[in-house]
Amino acid sequence: MRLIYLSVLAAALAFASTVQAASVVVPDLYTASTYTEGRGDSARAAGLRQTFAKVLVKATGSDAVLTAPQTELLLERAPDLVTIYRFDPLPAPQTSEPDAEGSTSQAPPSEVYRFTAEFEPRTVQLLLRDAGLSPWPARRPLTLLWLTLDRGDIISGEQRDEVQAFVDEAERLGLPLVFPSMDLTDQQAIQPADIQGFFPEQILQASRRYDPATVLVGRLERDGSLWTARWAMLERDASAVRWQNSDPALAVLLTQGAQALGSQLLARYGIGTDQAGASQAIELAVSGLRTLSDYGRVLNFLNDLPPVSTVTLRRARADAVVYQLHTTASREQLRQSIALGRVLMPADEPAAENLLGPVAPMAYRLNR
């Protein structure tokens, strides 16, 4: 499934809350496909290994998982973790081969199958954590792309094929994207010159209707045989993280752009931080808990935060609870990760004074 959300989603997001960054649940994170010759035991074993490697990349949002020393042991577990798989036959191309007399004849077609496998999400997540790796929850930040190609028009959702390499790489990494619809509203709000000149206030103003978590601006230009891309990941305060790269091949440039976006997002949310690194304890005060279901919902949410290794209950009074989170992420990275889930909202008022420890907890309330 293409992780491209076009004008229909954009219109819906226009009415979304702007209190917290927009996020979407990425489908099929633990499903992947590859191709095999035949459907015997060896083809099945190879297919499971290849699809599980793809799932690990999507689950963590990074290729780095494939080079981790623990990954080989994880790949060996693929047959134990698969929940369903199938072989779908594909038409094999006919090839001509010369015979002994030099004439050509049709070689017998090989049996080519599309192999699809689905793996058990919770078990994979637990194994990744046990291996010191950080799985990324299915709810992920939505990135809005403002791109111009060779000083042309802004790329809309209907023109995404022009930057398909970026789309494909983002999908491989499990990064949800949205392109502007470039309808009349967009055309009145922003022009290609705003992208090429990089006017952050104008770009952010035009982005509000989409309520993205991240705004990525890209200006791709060709000079002779060389393409150059200038990228900027905009923050809501109009500050930006910038980088650029050049390559003769536009597809390579676009692929690198999607990879850099993924790296920036992982850093922003503290995902992929070295789990063996220095850990700190951060307290989180949550108010608005009324039922056992509320307590369970919050505890499960906190345990699933990628940069969090353990969660313990510190103290409680009335409907407010203080949790202690052990994490290698900073408070700001943790705040960004919490905002994505939309389970907790920043508290309007700080927690009661008698709940505060030596360092004031981060104050939140349950979102109902």
Side-chain angles (χ1 to χ4, degrees):
M1 176 179 180
R2 295 290 182 195
L3 300 181
I4 298 299
Y5 301 80
L6 304 179
S7 54
V8 174
L9 176 61
L13 288 174
F15 298 97
S17 168
T18 58
V19 175
Q20 290 187 301
S23 58
V24 295
V25 175
V26 180
D28 303 324
L29 275 181
Y30 293 86
T31 301
S33 297
T34 188
Y35 297 96
T36 65
E37 290 190 6
R39 51 181 302 164
D41 291 343
S42 60
R44 174 182 175 275
L48 286 175
R49 184 181 178 89
Q50 292 168 21
T51 52
F52 191 43
K54 291 183 177 182
V55 162
L56 292 179
V57 170
K58 288 196 292 182
T60 58
S62 172
D63 280 319
V65 67
L66 299 180
T67 58
Q70 312 93 315
T71 299
E72 182 59 34
L73 293 176
L74 291 177
L75 291 174
E76 292 177 1
R77 297 284 306 274
D80 303 323
L81 301 173
V82 66
T83 57
I84 189 171
Y85 68 89
R86 68 178 185 272
F87 290 92
D88 295 317
L90 297 176
Q94 295 287 334
T95 58
S96 297
E97 295 182 352
D99 59 19
E101 298 179 355
S103 61
T104 59
S105 60
Q106 294 295 321
S110 59
E111 293 182 328
V112 179
Y113 293 86
R114 180 179 176 87
F115 179 84
T116 302
E118 181 177 341
F119 298 87
E120 209 292 309
R122 195 65 181 170
T123 305
V124 174
Q125 293 166 8
L126 291 174
L127 287 175
L128 283 169
R129 285 181 177 272
D130 288 345
L133 303 168
S134 298
W136 199 354
R139 180 168 291 280
R140 299 186 177 184
L142 180 67
T143 297
L144 171 63
L145 294 175
W146 294 105
L147 302 179
T148 59
L149 198 60
D150 212 16
R151 295 188 176 275
D153 292 334
I154 297 172
I155 301 294
S156 69
E158 294 181 350
Q159 299 168 310
R160 66 191 184 278
D161 290 349
E162 297 183 27
V163 290
Q164 192 63 45
F166 190 105
V167 174
D168 291 343
E169 186 65 8
E171 181 178 1
R172 190 181 70 85
L173 297 173
L175 306 178
L177 307 174
V178 59
F179 285 86
S181 61
M182 293 313 298
D183 56 10
L184 185 59
T185 300
D186 281 342
Q187 293 175 36
Q188 292 175 338
I190 194 167
Q191 299 295 320
D194 296 318
I195 304 301
Q196 293 155 10
F198 187 65
F199 296 104
E201 291 80 7
Q202 193 72 21
I203 295 170
L204 288 174
Q205 179 68 28
S207 301
R208 286 182 180 175
R209 66 182 300 215
Y210 298 96
D211 187 31
T214 304
V215 175
L216 181 64
V217 181
R219 296 162 289 169
L220 292 84
E221 299 174 1
R222 180 169 48 192
D223 183 8
S225 62
L226 191 67
W227 282 91
T228 297
R230 294 174 176 83
W231 305 95
M233 195 167 82
L234 268 176
E235 305 291 345
R236 295 196 173 195
D237 62 359
S239 63
V241 178
R242 301 170 183 253
W243 70 93
Q244 74 175 56
N245 52 322
S246 300
D247 197 275
L250 177 60
V252 171
L253 208 63
L254 291 166
T255 299
Q256 292 174 348
Q259 292 170 348
L261 169 65
S263 297
Q264 292 291 340
L265 291 174
L266 292 175
R268 171 184 286 185
Y269 296 101
I271 301 168
T273 307
D274 183 4
Q275 298 299 299
S279 178
Q280 62 174 324
I282 297 178
E283 290 194 342
L284 195 78
V286 182
S287 60
L289 306 183
R290 302 170 186 168
T291 66
L292 286 176
S293 177
D294 290 343
Y295 285 92
R297 181 185 174 198
V298 170
L299 185 59
N300 289 336
F301 172 70
L302 295 177
N303 272 314
D304 284 341
L305 289 175
V308 173
S309 56
T310 60
V311 179
T312 55
L313 176 63
R314 294 289 290 174
R315 49 196 181 275
R317 179 180 175 182
D319 70 341
V321 175
V322 175
Y323 298 94
Q324 186 177 74
L325 282 57
H326 284 88
T327 177
T328 53
S330 67
R331 290 172 73 95
E332 179 57 30
Q333 288 172 327
L334 187 60
R335 186 176 291 109
Q336 295 273 9
S337 286
I338 291 172
L340 278 182
R342 299 196 174 191
V343 172
L344 301 178
M345 302 282 287
D348 297 328
E349 298 179 358
E353 185 176 351
N354 58 1
L355 287 178
L356 299 181
V359 178
M362 299 169 65
Y364 284 88
R365 60 179 174 81
L366 182 62
N367 185 25
R368 296 186 178 278

